[in-house]
Amino acid sequence: MVNKDSLISNVLVSSAFLGIGRLWILKRKIPKILKTLKNIKVIKYLGFIVVYILPLGTIVWMIVDKTNEPTFKNIALFIIICVTLVYNILMNSIISIYELMHQIIEANSKKFSEIDSYAGRVNSAIKEIRKE
């Protein structure tokens, strides 16, 4: 094969369009199945591999295989994918931290409202004792 890069890009683009087309058809027909598939860990890992690992591996393989020179376009694409990967990992961590903070604040607000009601009862009892 003379031009491996065009073969690889054609295969990746056509498989992406085929996958998107099939998902679009499924979404129009069976939306409940898509919602359950979205929550399956294997599908999430497969999406991670397709979005991050496959492009990074392809760029690295093309540079190592000497089929493609490390041009600015390839290096920029590599950096963008790496930055996006790190950003998504950090955003997932930040979102989980905010969810934990929300749960803690909600639990503490319930406890504080109970303490406030008890303090109000004690305050009213003290006022009644002072009146007598």
Side-chain angles (χ1 to χ4, degrees):
M1 170 120 306
V2 175
N3 195 356
K4 292 181 188 177
D5 296 338
S6 63
L7 174 68
I8 291 171
S9 62
N10 285 339
V11 167
L12 290 176
V13 169
S14 61
S15 62
F17 281 133
L18 183 64
I20 290 169
R22 287 189 179 189
L23 285 176
W24 184 71
I25 290 170
L26 278 176
K27 186 176 181 182
R28 291 190 70 209
K29 290 184 179 179
I30 315 166
K32 292 181 182 179
I33 292 175
L34 281 179
K35 290 179 183 177
T36 56
L37 283 177
K38 190 171 98 174
N39 294 328
I40 296 174
K41 290 222 179 230
V42 174
I43 302 296
K44 290 181 181 179
Y45 291 136
L46 185 65
F48 176 80
I49 289 170
V50 168
V51 171
Y52 296 112
I53 304 300
L54 191 64
L56 290 175
T58 305
I59 292 170
V60 169
W61 179 66
M62 286 189 309
I63 291 172
V64 169
D65 194 33
K66 304 284 188 205
T67 58
N68 197 1
E69 291 295 321
T71 61
F72 175 75
K73 177 181 160 185
N74 290 336
I75 294 170
L77 184 62
F78 185 80
I79 290 171
I80 289 170
I81 292 171
C82 289
V83 167
T84 306
L85 174 65
V86 170
Y87 175 78
N88 283 337
I89 290 171
L90 289 176
M91 282 309 294
N92 287 336
S93 300
I94 290 170
I95 288 170
S96 64
I97 289 170
Y98 276 121
E99 287 174 355
L100 289 174
M101 286 176 57
H102 177 71
Q103 291 173 356
I104 290 170
I105 290 170
E106 187 175 309
N108 285 339
S109 67
K110 288 179 184 176
K111 289 179 184 177
F112 283 135
S113 64
E114 289 178 15
I115 291 171
D116 189 37
S117 67
Y118 292 140
R121 290 180 197 162
V122 169
N123 191 18
S124 63
I126 289 174
K127 286 182 181 178
E128 287 179 17
I129 291 173
R130 285 188 182 166
K131 287 182 183 178
E132 294 176 1

